[in-house]
Structure formats: C-alpha cells, structure tokens
mmCIF file of all heavy atoms in Angstrom:
data_model
loop_
_atom_site.group_PDB
_atom_site.id
_atom_site.type_symbol
_atom_site.label_atom_id
_atom_site.label_comp_id
_atom_site.label_asym_id
_atom_site.label_seq_id
_atom_site.Cartn_x
_atom_site.Cartn_y
_atom_site.Cartn_z
ATOM 1 N N VAL A 72 74.373 -64.405 -9.571
ATOM 2 C CA VAL A 72 75.680 -64.708 -10.144
ATOM 3 C C VAL A 72 76.384 -63.457 -10.612
ATOM 4 O O VAL A 72 77.563 -63.196 -10.341
ATOM 5 C CB VAL A 72 75.582 -65.739 -11.258
ATOM 6 C CG1 VAL A 72 76.933 -65.994 -11.919
ATOM 7 C CG2 VAL A 72 74.988 -67.060 -10.752
ATOM 8 N N VAL A 73 75.640 -62.642 -11.374
ATOM 9 C CA VAL A 73 76.230 -61.468 -12.043
ATOM 10 C C VAL A 73 76.601 -60.384 -11.036
ATOM 11 O O VAL A 73 77.682 -59.789 -11.162
ATOM 12 C CB VAL A 73 75.239 -60.869 -13.068
ATOM 13 C CG1 VAL A 73 75.697 -59.514 -13.590
ATOM 14 C CG2 VAL A 73 75.061 -61.841 -14.227
ATOM 15 N N PHE A 74 75.747 -60.168 -10.003
ATOM 16 C CA PHE A 74 76.025 -59.057 -9.105
ATOM 17 C C PHE A 74 76.309 -59.463 -7.638
ATOM 18 O O PHE A 74 77.369 -59.110 -7.094
ATOM 19 C CB PHE A 74 74.803 -58.116 -9.102
ATOM 20 C CG PHE A 74 75.042 -56.849 -8.319
ATOM 21 C CD1 PHE A 74 75.761 -55.813 -8.847
ATOM 22 C CD2 PHE A 74 74.520 -56.696 -7.041
ATOM 23 C CE1 PHE A 74 76.000 -54.641 -8.075
ATOM 24 C CE2 PHE A 74 74.750 -55.583 -6.271
ATOM 25 C CZ PHE A 74 75.499 -54.542 -6.827
ATOM 26 N N ASP A 75 75.405 -60.246 -7.025
ATOM 27 C CA ASP A 75 75.531 -60.517 -5.598
ATOM 28 C C ASP A 75 76.852 -61.247 -5.295
ATOM 29 O O ASP A 75 77.617 -60.821 -4.395
ATOM 30 C CB ASP A 75 74.354 -61.370 -5.108
ATOM 31 C CG ASP A 75 73.028 -60.698 -5.337
ATOM 32 O OD1 ASP A 75 73.020 -59.529 -5.762
ATOM 33 O OD2 ASP A 75 71.976 -61.323 -5.068
ATOM 34 N N LYS A 76 77.144 -62.377 -5.979
ATOM 35 C CA LYS A 76 78.341 -63.117 -5.701
ATOM 36 C C LYS A 76 79.607 -62.333 -6.084
ATOM 37 O O LYS A 76 80.644 -62.423 -5.430
ATOM 38 C CB LYS A 76 78.340 -64.464 -6.493
ATOM 39 C CG LYS A 76 77.226 -65.412 -6.027
ATOM 40 C CD LYS A 76 77.437 -65.848 -4.582
ATOM 41 C CE LYS A 76 78.642 -66.779 -4.425
ATOM 42 N NZ LYS A 76 78.795 -67.265 -3.033
ATOM 43 N N TRP A 77 79.480 -61.519 -7.143
ATOM 44 C CA TRP A 77 80.591 -60.669 -7.571
ATOM 45 C C TRP A 77 80.945 -59.641 -6.503
ATOM 46 O O TRP A 77 82.096 -59.398 -6.145
ATOM 47 C CB TRP A 77 80.231 -60.001 -8.878
ATOM 48 C CG TRP A 77 81.293 -59.028 -9.406
ATOM 49 C CD1 TRP A 77 82.478 -59.347 -10.015
ATOM 50 C CD2 TRP A 77 81.252 -57.610 -9.286
ATOM 51 N NE1 TRP A 77 83.156 -58.224 -10.333
ATOM 52 C CE2 TRP A 77 82.425 -57.112 -9.894
ATOM 53 C CE3 TRP A 77 80.317 -56.707 -8.769
ATOM 54 C CZ2 TRP A 77 82.695 -55.741 -9.958
ATOM 55 C CZ3 TRP A 77 80.590 -55.351 -8.849
ATOM 56 C CH2 TRP A 77 81.783 -54.873 -9.452
ATOM 57 N N MET A 78 79.896 -58.990 -5.907
ATOM 58 C CA MET A 78 80.134 -58.013 -4.855
ATOM 59 C C MET A 78 80.694 -58.719 -3.600
ATOM 60 O O MET A 78 81.614 -58.174 -2.968
ATOM 61 C CB MET A 78 78.782 -57.336 -4.474
ATOM 62 C CG MET A 78 78.310 -56.282 -5.483
ATOM 63 S SD MET A 78 79.294 -54.800 -5.492
ATOM 64 C CE MET A 78 78.859 -54.092 -3.889
ATOM 65 N N GLU A 79 80.171 -59.885 -3.295
ATOM 66 C CA GLU A 79 80.666 -60.638 -2.135
ATOM 67 C C GLU A 79 82.128 -61.013 -2.264
ATOM 68 O O GLU A 79 82.902 -61.016 -1.301
ATOM 69 C CB GLU A 79 79.821 -61.907 -1.949
ATOM 70 C CG GLU A 79 80.044 -62.618 -0.652
ATOM 71 C CD GLU A 79 79.110 -63.815 -0.538
ATOM 72 O OE1 GLU A 79 79.290 -64.809 -1.319
ATOM 73 O OE2 GLU A 79 78.198 -63.822 0.311
ATOM 74 N N LYS A 80 82.553 -61.325 -3.499
ATOM 75 C CA LYS A 80 83.920 -61.752 -3.725
ATOM 76 C C LYS A 80 84.899 -60.596 -3.841
ATOM 77 O O LYS A 80 86.002 -60.638 -3.254
ATOM 78 C CB LYS A 80 83.972 -62.597 -5.009
ATOM 79 C CG LYS A 80 85.364 -63.138 -5.328
ATOM 80 C CD LYS A 80 85.336 -63.977 -6.594
ATOM 81 C CE LYS A 80 86.740 -64.490 -6.946
ATOM 82 N NZ LYS A 80 86.733 -65.335 -8.179
ATOM 83 N N HIS A 81 84.520 -59.558 -4.604
ATOM 84 C CA HIS A 81 85.460 -58.481 -4.932
ATOM 85 C C HIS A 81 85.314 -57.238 -4.067
ATOM 86 O O HIS A 81 86.271 -56.476 -3.894
ATOM 87 C CB HIS A 81 85.312 -58.115 -6.391
ATOM 88 C CG HIS A 81 85.670 -59.210 -7.353
ATOM 89 N ND1 HIS A 81 86.978 -59.581 -7.640
ATOM 90 C CD2 HIS A 81 84.869 -60.060 -8.057
ATOM 91 C CE1 HIS A 81 86.996 -60.556 -8.498
ATOM 92 N NE2 HIS A 81 85.736 -60.904 -8.760
ATOM 93 N N HIS A 82 84.107 -57.007 -3.544
ATOM 94 C CA HIS A 82 83.855 -55.793 -2.723
ATOM 95 C C HIS A 82 83.012 -56.118 -1.496
ATOM 96 O O HIS A 82 81.914 -55.576 -1.290
ATOM 97 C CB HIS A 82 83.170 -54.724 -3.584
ATOM 98 C CG HIS A 82 83.889 -54.420 -4.847
ATOM 99 N ND1 HIS A 82 85.004 -53.595 -4.848
ATOM 100 C CD2 HIS A 82 83.672 -54.812 -6.115
ATOM 101 C CE1 HIS A 82 85.451 -53.518 -6.128
ATOM 102 N NE2 HIS A 82 84.649 -54.238 -6.901
ATOM 103 N N PRO A 83 83.492 -57.027 -0.639
ATOM 104 C CA PRO A 83 82.696 -57.448 0.531
ATOM 105 C C PRO A 83 82.430 -56.335 1.538
ATOM 106 O O PRO A 83 81.492 -56.447 2.349
ATOM 107 C CB PRO A 83 83.566 -58.574 1.148
ATOM 108 C CG PRO A 83 84.929 -58.285 0.687
ATOM 109 C CD PRO A 83 84.805 -57.684 -0.674
ATOM 110 N N GLU A 84 83.245 -55.283 1.484
ATOM 111 C CA GLU A 84 83.067 -54.171 2.462
ATOM 112 C C GLU A 84 81.997 -53.176 2.021
ATOM 113 O O GLU A 84 81.638 -52.308 2.824
ATOM 114 C CB GLU A 84 84.438 -53.449 2.628
ATOM 115 C CG GLU A 84 84.834 -52.506 1.526
ATOM 116 C CD GLU A 84 85.293 -53.189 0.234
ATOM 117 O OE1 GLU A 84 85.385 -54.461 0.222
ATOM 118 O OE2 GLU A 84 85.516 -52.525 -0.772
ATOM 119 N N LYS A 85 81.460 -53.325 0.837
ATOM 120 C CA LYS A 85 80.427 -52.410 0.344
ATOM 121 C C LYS A 85 79.056 -53.024 0.492
ATOM 122 O O LYS A 85 78.719 -53.977 -0.221
ATOM 123 C CB LYS A 85 80.646 -52.086 -1.147
ATOM 124 C CG LYS A 85 82.032 -51.499 -1.474
ATOM 125 C CD LYS A 85 82.156 -50.088 -0.974
ATOM 126 C CE LYS A 85 83.415 -49.424 -1.519
ATOM 127 N NZ LYS A 85 84.656 -50.129 -1.194
ATOM 128 N N PRO A 86 78.247 -52.549 1.453
ATOM 129 C CA PRO A 86 76.894 -53.066 1.607
ATOM 130 C C PRO A 86 76.007 -52.687 0.458
ATOM 131 O O PRO A 86 76.199 -51.640 -0.160
ATOM 132 C CB PRO A 86 76.429 -52.478 2.944
ATOM 133 C CG PRO A 86 77.193 -51.219 3.077
ATOM 134 C CD PRO A 86 78.531 -51.459 2.422
ATOM 135 N N PHE A 87 74.963 -53.470 0.175
ATOM 136 C CA PHE A 87 74.037 -53.157 -0.881
ATOM 137 C C PHE A 87 72.678 -53.758 -0.550
ATOM 138 O O PHE A 87 72.532 -54.604 0.303
ATOM 139 C CB PHE A 87 74.546 -53.654 -2.211
ATOM 140 C CG PHE A 87 74.598 -55.152 -2.356
ATOM 141 C CD1 PHE A 87 73.498 -55.872 -2.855
ATOM 142 C CD2 PHE A 87 75.710 -55.887 -2.006
ATOM 143 C CE1 PHE A 87 73.486 -57.254 -2.947
ATOM 144 C CE2 PHE A 87 75.728 -57.257 -2.094
ATOM 145 C CZ PHE A 87 74.660 -57.941 -2.576
ATOM 146 N N GLU A 88 71.694 -53.312 -1.293
ATOM 147 C CA GLU A 88 70.324 -53.886 -1.252
ATOM 148 C C GLU A 88 69.903 -54.114 -2.711
ATOM 149 O O GLU A 88 70.126 -53.263 -3.564
ATOM 150 C CB GLU A 88 69.296 -52.950 -0.594
ATOM 151 C CG GLU A 88 69.571 -52.691 0.875
ATOM 152 C CD GLU A 88 70.659 -51.622 1.040
ATOM 153 O OE1 GLU A 88 70.685 -50.666 0.240
ATOM 154 O OE2 GLU A 88 71.462 -51.759 1.966
ATOM 155 N N ARG A 89 69.315 -55.277 -2.957
ATOM 156 C CA ARG A 89 68.836 -55.573 -4.293
ATOM 157 C C ARG A 89 67.405 -56.145 -4.180
ATOM 158 O O ARG A 89 67.171 -57.120 -3.486
ATOM 159 C CB ARG A 89 69.718 -56.579 -5.022
ATOM 160 C CG ARG A 89 69.242 -56.849 -6.471
ATOM 161 C CD ARG A 89 70.181 -57.743 -7.215
ATOM 162 N NE ARG A 89 70.247 -59.103 -6.677
ATOM 163 C CZ ARG A 89 69.342 -60.033 -6.908
ATOM 164 N NH1 ARG A 89 68.242 -59.772 -7.624
ATOM 165 N NH2 ARG A 89 69.448 -61.254 -6.370
ATOM 166 N N TYR A 90 66.487 -55.480 -4.905
ATOM 167 C CA TYR A 90 65.120 -56.019 -5.029
ATOM 168 C C TYR A 90 64.908 -56.239 -6.529
ATOM 169 O O TYR A 90 64.668 -55.289 -7.266
ATOM 170 C CB TYR A 90 64.087 -55.065 -4.462
ATOM 171 C CG TYR A 90 62.733 -55.674 -4.261
ATOM 172 C CD1 TYR A 90 62.328 -56.160 -3.028
ATOM 173 C CD2 TYR A 90 61.850 -55.787 -5.341
ATOM 174 C CE1 TYR A 90 61.076 -56.732 -2.900
ATOM 175 C CE2 TYR A 90 60.620 -56.389 -5.213
ATOM 176 C CZ TYR A 90 60.231 -56.853 -3.933
ATOM 177 O OH TYR A 90 59.007 -57.454 -3.790
ATOM 178 N N ALA A 91 65.052 -57.520 -6.952
ATOM 179 C CA ALA A 91 65.029 -57.838 -8.382
ATOM 180 C C ALA A 91 66.163 -57.043 -9.042
ATOM 181 O O ALA A 91 67.315 -57.179 -8.690
ATOM 182 C CB ALA A 91 63.690 -57.598 -8.980
ATOM 183 N N ASP A 92 65.786 -56.144 -10.012
ATOM 184 C CA ASP A 92 66.835 -55.347 -10.692
ATOM 185 C C ASP A 92 66.956 -53.952 -10.152
ATOM 186 O O ASP A 92 67.659 -53.128 -10.732
ATOM 187 C CB ASP A 92 66.580 -55.324 -12.166
ATOM 188 C CG ASP A 92 65.209 -54.715 -12.520
ATOM 189 O OD1 ASP A 92 64.285 -54.851 -11.726
ATOM 190 O OD2 ASP A 92 65.090 -54.113 -13.597
ATOM 191 N N ASP A 93 66.325 -53.628 -9.045
ATOM 192 C CA ASP A 93 66.502 -52.373 -8.308
ATOM 193 C C ASP A 93 67.642 -52.516 -7.295
ATOM 194 O O ASP A 93 67.499 -53.285 -6.333
ATOM 195 C CB ASP A 93 65.215 -51.919 -7.632
ATOM 196 C CG ASP A 93 64.167 -51.448 -8.619
ATOM 197 O OD1 ASP A 93 64.528 -50.993 -9.706
ATOM 198 O OD2 ASP A 93 62.964 -51.644 -8.304
ATOM 199 N N ILE A 94 68.712 -51.791 -7.485
ATOM 200 C CA ILE A 94 69.934 -51.996 -6.701
ATOM 201 C C ILE A 94 70.431 -50.686 -6.124
ATOM 202 O O ILE A 94 70.455 -49.692 -6.801
ATOM 203 C CB ILE A 94 71.053 -52.682 -7.521
ATOM 204 C CG1 ILE A 94 70.553 -53.949 -8.198
ATOM 205 C CG2 ILE A 94 72.269 -52.995 -6.665
ATOM 206 C CD1 ILE A 94 71.520 -54.545 -9.176
ATOM 207 N N VAL A 95 70.861 -50.735 -4.834
ATOM 208 C CA VAL A 95 71.510 -49.601 -4.180
ATOM 209 C C VAL A 95 72.803 -50.096 -3.531
ATOM 210 O O VAL A 95 72.799 -51.088 -2.819
ATOM 211 C CB VAL A 95 70.611 -48.960 -3.098
ATOM 212 C CG1 VAL A 95 71.331 -47.840 -2.392
ATOM 213 C CG2 VAL A 95 69.321 -48.441 -3.718
ATOM 214 N N VAL A 96 73.918 -49.432 -3.836
ATOM 215 C CA VAL A 96 75.230 -49.733 -3.258
ATOM 216 C C VAL A 96 75.697 -48.585 -2.419
ATOM 217 O O VAL A 96 75.562 -47.411 -2.829
ATOM 218 C CB VAL A 96 76.253 -50.066 -4.372
ATOM 219 C CG1 VAL A 96 77.608 -50.414 -3.744
ATOM 220 C CG2 VAL A 96 75.795 -51.219 -5.243
ATOM 221 N N HIS A 97 76.248 -48.857 -1.238
ATOM 222 C CA HIS A 97 76.611 -47.791 -0.282
ATOM 223 C C HIS A 97 78.160 -47.637 -0.254
ATOM 224 O O HIS A 97 78.868 -48.644 -0.217
ATOM 225 C CB HIS A 97 76.109 -48.097 1.109
ATOM 226 C CG HIS A 97 74.610 -48.219 1.179
ATOM 227 N ND1 HIS A 97 73.787 -47.158 1.368
ATOM 228 C CD2 HIS A 97 73.823 -49.304 0.972
ATOM 229 C CE1 HIS A 97 72.525 -47.572 1.362
ATOM 230 N NE2 HIS A 97 72.523 -48.864 1.115
ATOM 231 N N CYS A 98 78.595 -46.391 -0.225
ATOM 232 C CA CYS A 98 80.026 -46.102 -0.162
ATOM 233 C C CYS A 98 80.267 -44.993 0.873
ATOM 234 O O CYS A 98 79.421 -44.167 1.110
ATOM 235 C CB CYS A 98 80.549 -45.613 -1.531
ATOM 236 S SG CYS A 98 80.316 -46.832 -2.850
ATOM 237 N N LYS A 99 81.504 -44.988 1.423
ATOM 238 C CA LYS A 99 81.822 -43.987 2.453
ATOM 239 C C LYS A 99 82.250 -42.649 1.871
ATOM 240 O O LYS A 99 82.037 -41.614 2.484
ATOM 241 C CB LYS A 99 82.904 -44.551 3.385
ATOM 242 C CG LYS A 99 82.396 -45.658 4.298
ATOM 243 C CD LYS A 99 83.437 -46.066 5.289
ATOM 244 C CE LYS A 99 82.942 -47.187 6.211
ATOM 245 N NZ LYS A 99 81.837 -46.726 7.085
ATOM 246 N N THR A 100 82.916 -42.661 0.728
ATOM 247 C CA THR A 100 83.410 -41.412 0.127
ATOM 248 C C THR A 100 83.026 -41.284 -1.324
ATOM 249 O O THR A 100 82.610 -42.275 -1.974
ATOM 250 C CB THR A 100 84.950 -41.412 0.209
ATOM 251 O OG1 THR A 100 85.501 -42.440 -0.620
ATOM 252 C CG2 THR A 100 85.419 -41.599 1.650
ATOM 253 N N GLU A 101 83.158 -40.097 -1.825
ATOM 254 C CA GLU A 101 82.883 -39.852 -3.237
ATOM 255 C C GLU A 101 83.813 -40.617 -4.143
ATOM 256 O O GLU A 101 83.392 -41.126 -5.202
ATOM 257 C CB GLU A 101 83.001 -38.308 -3.518
ATOM 258 C CG GLU A 101 82.770 -37.920 -4.978
ATOM 259 C CD GLU A 101 83.013 -36.454 -5.181
ATOM 260 O OE1 GLU A 101 83.374 -35.716 -4.229
ATOM 261 O OE2 GLU A 101 82.879 -36.020 -6.346
ATOM 262 N N ARG A 102 85.065 -40.709 -3.740
ATOM 263 C CA ARG A 102 86.057 -41.448 -4.553
ATOM 264 C C ARG A 102 85.664 -42.916 -4.667
ATOM 265 O O ARG A 102 85.740 -43.524 -5.773
ATOM 266 C CB ARG A 102 87.416 -41.309 -3.933
ATOM 267 C CG ARG A 102 88.550 -41.940 -4.741
ATOM 268 C CD ARG A 102 89.896 -41.651 -4.090
ATOM 269 N NE ARG A 102 91.000 -42.241 -4.851
ATOM 270 C CZ ARG A 102 92.255 -42.185 -4.465
ATOM 271 N NH1 ARG A 102 92.616 -41.528 -3.358
ATOM 272 N NH2 ARG A 102 93.181 -42.747 -5.206
ATOM 273 N N GLN A 103 85.227 -43.508 -3.566
ATOM 274 C CA GLN A 103 84.762 -44.913 -3.593
ATOM 275 C C GLN A 103 83.533 -45.056 -4.500
ATOM 276 O O GLN A 103 83.488 -46.014 -5.269
ATOM 277 C CB GLN A 103 84.411 -45.374 -2.168
ATOM 278 C CG GLN A 103 85.579 -45.661 -1.262
ATOM 279 C CD GLN A 103 85.139 -46.170 0.083
ATOM 280 O OE1 GLN A 103 83.937 -46.424 0.313
ATOM 281 N NE2 GLN A 103 86.075 -46.333 0.991
ATOM 282 N N ALA A 104 82.617 -44.103 -4.399
ATOM 283 C CA ALA A 104 81.381 -44.216 -5.208
ATOM 284 C C ALA A 104 81.703 -44.138 -6.709
ATOM 285 O O ALA A 104 81.153 -44.883 -7.516
ATOM 286 C CB ALA A 104 80.436 -43.076 -4.802
ATOM 287 N N THR A 105 82.600 -43.218 -7.083
ATOM 288 C CA THR A 105 82.999 -43.082 -8.501
ATOM 289 C C THR A 105 83.682 -44.371 -9.002
ATOM 290 O O THR A 105 83.392 -44.851 -10.099
ATOM 291 C CB THR A 105 83.927 -41.883 -8.676
ATOM 292 O OG1 THR A 105 83.291 -40.716 -8.165
ATOM 293 C CG2 THR A 105 84.264 -41.656 -10.127
ATOM 294 N N PHE A 106 84.572 -44.927 -8.163
ATOM 295 C CA PHE A 106 85.231 -46.144 -8.532
ATOM 296 C C PHE A 106 84.279 -47.307 -8.681
ATOM 297 O O PHE A 106 84.347 -48.050 -9.687
ATOM 298 C CB PHE A 106 86.286 -46.489 -7.444
ATOM 299 C CG PHE A 106 86.951 -47.829 -7.638
ATOM 300 C CD1 PHE A 106 87.956 -47.991 -8.566
ATOM 301 C CD2 PHE A 106 86.587 -48.884 -6.832
ATOM 302 C CE1 PHE A 106 88.552 -49.241 -8.743
ATOM 303 C CE2 PHE A 106 87.162 -50.145 -6.995
ATOM 304 C CZ PHE A 106 88.168 -50.305 -7.954
ATOM 305 N N MET A 107 83.345 -47.440 -7.747
ATOM 306 C CA MET A 107 82.385 -48.538 -7.777
ATOM 307 C C MET A 107 81.430 -48.426 -8.957
ATOM 308 O O MET A 107 81.088 -49.414 -9.588
ATOM 309 C CB MET A 107 81.593 -48.603 -6.488
ATOM 310 C CG MET A 107 82.335 -49.215 -5.303
ATOM 311 S SD MET A 107 82.931 -50.878 -5.634
ATOM 312 C CE MET A 107 81.394 -51.733 -5.956
ATOM 313 N N MET A 108 81.019 -47.200 -9.284
ATOM 314 C CA MET A 108 80.164 -47.006 -10.446
ATOM 315 C C MET A 108 80.844 -47.557 -11.725
ATOM 316 O O MET A 108 80.195 -48.242 -12.541
ATOM 317 C CB MET A 108 79.802 -45.511 -10.628
ATOM 318 C CG MET A 108 78.971 -45.190 -11.841
ATOM 319 S SD MET A 108 77.301 -45.924 -11.781
ATOM 320 C CE MET A 108 76.405 -44.551 -11.035
ATOM 321 N N ASN A 109 82.116 -47.209 -11.880
ATOM 322 C CA ASN A 109 82.848 -47.688 -13.074
ATOM 323 C C ASN A 109 83.021 -49.232 -13.044
ATOM 324 O O ASN A 109 82.899 -49.875 -14.101
ATOM 325 C CB ASN A 109 84.207 -47.017 -13.142
ATOM 326 C CG ASN A 109 84.122 -45.532 -13.472
ATOM 327 O OD1 ASN A 109 83.152 -45.096 -14.142
ATOM 328 N ND2 ASN A 109 85.032 -44.735 -12.953
ATOM 329 N N GLN A 110 83.289 -49.756 -11.872
ATOM 330 C CA GLN A 110 83.477 -51.225 -11.755
ATOM 331 C C GLN A 110 82.183 -51.973 -12.062
ATOM 332 O O GLN A 110 82.204 -52.985 -12.772
ATOM 333 C CB GLN A 110 83.924 -51.573 -10.331
ATOM 334 C CG GLN A 110 85.346 -51.142 -10.016
ATOM 335 C CD GLN A 110 86.367 -51.996 -10.729
ATOM 336 O OE1 GLN A 110 86.469 -53.213 -10.507
ATOM 337 N NE2 GLN A 110 87.184 -51.395 -11.582
ATOM 338 N N ILE A 111 81.088 -51.465 -11.551
ATOM 339 C CA ILE A 111 79.768 -52.099 -11.785
ATOM 340 C C ILE A 111 79.386 -51.982 -13.253
ATOM 341 O O ILE A 111 78.865 -52.964 -13.846
ATOM 342 C CB ILE A 111 78.696 -51.498 -10.882
ATOM 343 C CG1 ILE A 111 78.997 -51.834 -9.394
ATOM 344 C CG2 ILE A 111 77.304 -52.030 -11.256
ATOM 345 C CD1 ILE A 111 78.179 -51.081 -8.416
#
C-alpha cells in the first residue's frame, strides 16, 4: 500500500524491485533520480 501501489499510480514509468524492505528504483537521468528520492 505504502510503496508499490503508490509507485504504480504516480510513477508507473519508473521500474523498481522490492524484496521486503530492500528497494531499488531505476531512473534514466540524474534529475529524475533526485526528484524521485525527494518524492519517496
């Protein structure tokens, strides 16, 4: 609820992997990565 559905709804273009609380999010540019870090 907190992460997976939120990513699916607000950032569907950003792929990720989650194993319990170990999470990796992928971005194409540094600007995207900085923005996503603040959003998360």
